[in-house]
Amino acid sequence: MAKPIMAKATAVWLVDNTTISFKQIADFVGLHELEVQGIADGDVAQGVKGFDPIANNQLTQDEVDAAQDNPLHKLKLKYNAAAQGEEKRRGPRYTPLSKRQDRPASILWLVKFHPELSDGQISKLVGTTKPTIQAIRERTHWNIANIQPIDPVALGLCKQSELDMAVQKAAARKAAAGEVMNDDERRKLVSTEQSLGMEAEPKIPTAIEGLETFTLGNDDADEDDTDSRGDYSDADSFFSLPDSDDNDDNDDDEDDSTGR
């Protein structure tokens, strides 16, 4: 049900100028019945000037009279053709002033980690304009050197479900276009629920990154080396000298005879 503008001021005027029950006024303006009672007691909306709904084309006098005569009658907002479709207005969402300085950081995060998102999707997620998105994409933004990428969900600029939905639409659009995605892009298009359900992949320490194909030792080579070295489990086998060949003995004899 549509609600009147300036609901609290409208409630103040109805309390001061009509005999309509608190329940009827609360249902009409969208407030709690106790809050309307607090307005009547002077505890709520102190200093708020009443807003006449009849003069401002929100109620008719006949509707007010019918509500005063019948406590069960529900006030209905006057039909205004010019106000139809106002709640469905399209365009960038409203961003509070306190968070507007965070939009460039969130745009840079989306451009960096989800480049598949279109400018229109980013504009709807964080409530910005396409020229600003284009400037950050091309790194021509006036403050690009000081902008650090921050997740828009962490900044409160959008919900995680909204971001996941935009990413899924981008994935469907890429699949329909027949574009080939690499592994990094495919991982980026996974929603949060799917990524949380995946098993963690083992990571290689940065100190030995790039040495995945090398091993610290070879089992077969170690066994061969052990066989070639022999068994040195006791002192006798360790200090035993290898048997000399006959040729070596003959060479030594010849050298001795020549020396004499």
Side-chain angles (χ1 to χ4, degrees):
M1 180 179 175
K3 302 299 179 183
I5 61 174
M6 300 181 64
K8 190 166 290 187
T10 301
V12 170
W13 189 92
L14 292 173
V15 168
D16 294 339
N17 297 276
T18 65
T19 59
I20 301 175
S21 66
F22 297 155
K23 181 70 168 60
Q24 290 173 295
I25 297 175
D27 293 340
F28 176 66
V29 300
L31 298 176
H32 194 274
E33 184 177 354
L34 294 178
E35 191 170 3
V36 178
Q37 184 177 353
I39 293 174
D41 295 337
D43 299 331
V44 180
Q46 295 181 358
V48 176
K49 185 178 180 181
F51 185 76
D52 188 354
I54 298 175
N56 290 280
N57 204 28
Q58 296 189 95
L59 275 178
T60 61
Q61 186 61 49
D62 294 338
E63 188 72 13
V64 172
D65 294 339
Q68 292 181 127
D69 296 338
N70 183 11
L72 299 178
H73 180 79
K74 291 185 177 182
L75 290 169
K76 295 180 181 179
L77 195 65
K78 184 179 178 180
Y79 176 77
N80 186 0
Q84 295 301 312
E86 277 296 307
E87 68 279 359
K88 298 180 181 179
R89 178 181 297 176
R90 293 185 177 182
R93 68 173 63 194
Y94 172 76
T95 304
L97 292 173
S98 60
K99 296 183 179 180
R100 290 186 184 180
Q101 70 271 13
D102 297 331
R103 286 189 296 192
S106 62
I107 295 171
L108 183 59
W109 189 92
L110 293 171
V111 169
K112 181 177 180 180
F113 294 102
H114 291 288
E116 71 281 353
L117 294 176
S118 65
D119 291 354
Q121 289 177 306
I122 297 176
S123 176
K124 290 181 180 179
L125 284 173
V126 300
T128 186
T129 59
K130 292 184 179 180
T132 304
I133 300 172
Q134 194 66 24
I136 294 178
R137 281 188 188 274
E138 299 174 356
R139 303 192 69 82
T140 58
H141 191 272
W142 66 273
N143 196 30
I144 191 65
N146 300 321
I147 299 176
Q148 297 295 328
I150 304 177
D151 189 347
V153 178
L155 293 173
L157 294 175
C158 67
K159 299 178 181 178
Q160 186 64 55
S161 59
E162 295 173 342
L163 178 58
D164 290 343
M165 187 177 298
V167 170
Q168 291 173 2
K169 287 183 179 179
R173 185 174 63 250
K174 274 206 166 190
E179 299 181 13
V180 179
M181 295 181 292
N182 55 34
D183 294 339
D184 291 337
E185 291 178 342
R186 190 174 293 106
R187 279 192 289 269
K188 290 176 183 177
L189 294 177
V190 175
S191 65
T192 304
E193 295 179 357
Q194 294 173 338
S195 62
L196 292 176
M198 293 181 177
E199 296 181 358
E201 297 181 357
K203 295 184 178 180
I204 300 175
T206 55
I208 61 173
E209 188 175 359
L211 303 176
E212 300 90 348
T213 57
F214 296 91
T215 57
L216 298 177
N218 192 338
D219 296 340
D220 297 336
D222 292 342
E223 292 178 359
D224 295 340
D225 293 342
T226 303
D227 295 339
S228 62
R229 287 194 299 265
D231 185 13
Y232 300 136
S233 59
D234 57 348
D236 295 336
S237 60
F238 181 78
F239 288 105
S240 63
L241 298 175
D243 297 335
S244 61
D245 297 336
D246 295 338
N247 294 333
D248 295 339
D249 295 340
N250 294 334
D251 292 340
D252 294 340
D253 296 340
E254 292 176 359
D255 292 340
D256 294 341
S257 62
T258 303
R260 292 193 190 97

